[in-house]
Amino acid sequence: QKEVEQNSGPLSVPEGAIASLNCTYSDRGSQSFFWYRQYSGKSPELIMFIYSNGDKEDGRFTAQLNKASQYVSLLIRDSQPSDSATYLCAVNPVGASKIIFGSGTRLSIRP
Amino acid sequence: GAGVSQSPSNKVTEKGKDVELRCDPISGHTALYWYRQSLGQGLEFLIYFQGNSAPDKSGLPSDRFSAERTGGSVSTLTIQRTQQEDSAVYLCASSGRESLRETQYFGPGTRLLVL
């Protein structure tokens, strides 16, 4: 079992709709969770982080964390074509400083 | 500096030659990572440095790959006797404690092409 799992996609969402990206992790004690966005040909860019159970909102982005179920999700409201990218989930396991990445979900927003 | 920097941004080399890739992490960051990303693929972890601890080399694909981090700051990734399958983007990232949590930032990458 991979430490951090994501559906590779592609996930196709119409413009203006909500895009929902999901990630599960294996280390139950993990404490920190991150979402990165990577445009084609560019480096990953940190867009959200969450540490506590529940929701964290930043503009059109909402990160949701459920430690009991070991999943973290990213919601993008009012999706725009510029949101089309690969989204990487990353986890910092307990007692470690190393950050583990999932393989990413490719999101495509269709006009 | 303001962010993670890498050099060169692009490197073209001939098969069998050695290459060195450089990473300057964010000042004060204790952790440094090297990843490789082939076209259309995910991040492939190569090596991880944390402070003065022994590096985690578990991701290095062969003994042609090595990396060092001098003085806990700048890192160099060396690929000896390059092969065509080494062609990829090599990404460096550094992380440090922000608000008591480990947060990681990436450099722009070095695009390596082995002919």
Side-chain angles (χ1 to χ4, degrees):
Chain A
Q1 180 190 8
K2 291 183 180 178
E3 293 180 83
V4 181
E5 296 210 48
Q6 297 180 254
N7 188 319
S8 62
L11 175 65
S12 181
V13 173
E15 184 175 357
I18 297 175
S20 178
L21 304 160
N22 299 311
C23 170
T24 59
Y25 58 94
S26 60
D27 187 334
R28 179 170 290 277
S30 296
Q31 298 292 318
S32 304
F33 308 86
F34 308 88
W35 283 100
Y36 287 79
R37 176 178 61 200
Q38 187 176 26
Y39 291 115
S40 181
K42 300 294 186 182
S43 296
E45 171 194 10
L46 179 65
I47 56 171
M48 287 285 287
F49 56 86
I50 186 167
Y51 308 136
S52 304
N53 270 332
D55 295 1
K56 178 182 178 182
E57 188 174 317
D58 183 1
R60 295 187 296 111
F61 298 98
T62 298
Q64 298 177 319
L65 175 61
N66 184 322
K67 290 187 178 181
S69 301
Q70 294 176 239
Y71 83 77
V72 56
S73 61
L74 179 70
L75 302 178
I76 307 174
R77 290 182 300 282
D78 187 24
S79 297
Q80 303 296 310
S82 59
D83 295 326
S84 297
T86 295
Y87 289 80
L88 299 163
C89 173
V91 174
N92 182 206
V94 64
S97 56
K98 186 176 173 182
I99 294 174
I100 311 296
F101 279 83
S103 57
T105 297
R106 193 154 49 94
L107 175 66
S108 176
I109 307 301
R110 56 182 191 272
Chain B
V4 180
S5 60
Q6 292 185 246
S7 61
S9 54
N10 292 281
K11 177 71 176 179
V12 180
T13 190
E14 294 179 346
K15 178 181 173 180
K17 294 286 180 66
D18 297 352
V19 295
E20 282 191 355
L21 312 179
R22 177 186 168 105
C23 173
D24 278 277
I26 292 172
S27 178
H29 277 190
T30 58
L32 187 148
Y33 305 71
W34 282 100
Y35 299 90
R36 178 169 71 174
Q37 190 171 38
S38 299
L39 190 63
Q41 302 299 308
L43 292 174
E44 178 187 1
F45 166 77
L46 298 178
I47 188 168
Y48 162 65
F49 296 90
Q50 172 58 262
N52 295 321
S53 302
D56 177 352
K57 304 179 180 180
S58 60
L60 295 178
S62 77
D63 58 8
R64 296 187 295 105
F65 288 73
S66 63
E68 62 178 20
R69 189 179 184 192
T70 54
S73 181
V74 171
S75 178
T76 302
L77 176 69
T78 301
I79 309 173
Q80 296 178 310
R81 304 181 302 281
T82 52
Q83 303 295 311
Q84 289 180 331
E85 60 263 28
D86 298 335
S87 297
V89 176
Y90 288 81
L91 290 163
C92 175
S94 71
S95 69
R97 304 287 277 183
E98 295 184 9
S99 301
L100 303 180
R101 304 285 184 164
E102 201 73 17
T103 306
Q104 186 183 62
Y105 299 92
F106 283 82
T110 293
R111 284 160 180 74
L112 175 67
L113 177 61
V114 182
L115 301 176

